[in-house]
Amino acid sequence: MLGLGAAFKNPIRRSLLRHLATRSTTTVTVPLERGSEPSRRHKPGGYHPLRPGDVLNNRYKVVHQLGWGLYSTVWLVQDIKEKQMSALKVQISELTTYEGPQHELSKLQILRDTNPNSPGYRHICHLRDNFTIEGPHGAHVCLVLDPMRVSVFDIFRAFRIILPLDLLKRISKHVLTALKYVHDECGIIHTDIKGDNIMLVSMPPKSDKTTIEIGIDELMTLPFVLSDFGSAVKVEERSSGLIKPTDLRAPEVIVKAAWDTKADIWNFGCLIYEFAKGTRLFDSSWRIEDIEMTPPQIHLAQMVGVLGEFPRSLLERGERAKNYFDDEGHLLVGSGVHDNRLDKLVACSGHPLREIPTLVDFLRKALSIEPEERWSSAQLLQHPWLMDVDA
């Protein structure tokens, strides 16, 4: 995982990166993942059966399916009343009675109603309407949302290697602008920032398409938005419990210290590194069959190798810190296994060398191991790496 830097020294790859960065191509071909939810979950408590032509709530006519997840299916629908297209997210029925801190509808209502004049408001995938339907498998909460074209992960796959820095800067600024609104004005922590949850605003592709052509000019002019608040929590509702996919978990989450909005910033920093380098920053399954280490031990050893030692202040707050660190703050297992520093990893990404120092500094500010020293979204928006990038 951390030893892939040599692959990016290939002169052909460097040449291709320069080719893309100068926009000598006018479009990129984005592959689209198609498929439907598993049929075994069409049962009580599970998905609601839908097909094109169905009309929900006497208003929304189903056009075709856009996607699905563990807890919902998503459809393109025609709003008969407003004569516009929307995305319809139909949750599994077992979520309908769940009114706990992760209830998505309440978070979307806060995001929609708090401050429409905020700069970050336009970088959120917003709730347009909501209702509940009864079906053969129970009651289902339905969320009518802004329609989106493709995800940043889809765009990343289209470039195949890494994202050109001018595009990555633009995505970064839009996501941070969204997070400033989410964190500072709405008091919400997203907890699941990933490429699939950052979307390009535009109409979704037709159902029979397996690829879509997107103009470079579109990527540099249309807004990117943060979506899917199904795992979001209010700041006052947070705990020291586990959140996020394993490899994106912040240090404070792993050692079970209290976490807050800075956990989103860590998540964001890992994602930007992945798009800039073409490989994940951390991989907790690395050589797991060859070495006698657990995934958290591997993950923490990689963090120390890339970013340096854990500060005593964080270890003192972590309920599980003693499971992984001794009284001096050193790893109990895995010390010295990883020694690839962040600046060396980014330097061999294939980007212009003049861009590397500022990018590395930006990532360091987002990936400070001590969350109290990690920069906020507002601070990162003022970093030199994002100067002169449109919001």
Side-chain angles (χ1 to χ4, degrees), residues 312-323:
R312 194 70 69 85
S313 57
L314 175 58
L315 295 180
E316 289 173 351
R317 302 196 305 271
E319 294 180 25
R320 293 180 178 168
K322 291 187 178 298
N323 294 349

Side-chain angles (χ1 to χ4, degrees), residues 10-79:
N10 185 307
I12 297 176
R13 286 175 176 246
R14 292 203 303 270
S15 175
L16 178 57
L17 290 172
R18 287 194 293 270
H19 176 76
L20 293 172
T22 56
R23 301 185 203 171
S24 56
T25 57
T26 58
T27 64
V28 291
T29 302
V30 178
L32 302 175
E33 289 190 353
R34 296 298 185 185
S36 58
E37 69 280 2
S39 58
R40 58 183 171 78
R41 297 196 62 204
H42 278 273
K43 62 181 181 179
Y47 298 113
H48 177 68
L50 280 176
R51 60 185 179 183
D54 288 349
V55 177
L56 285 75
N57 207 36
N58 296 316
R59 178 172 175 178
Y60 300 103
K61 184 176 182 180
V62 175
V63 179
H64 62 79
Q65 188 166 5
L66 294 174
W68 63 277
L70 189 60
Y71 299 111
S72 64
T73 57
V74 183
W75 303 79
L76 182 66
V77 295
Q78 181 182 18
D79 184 340

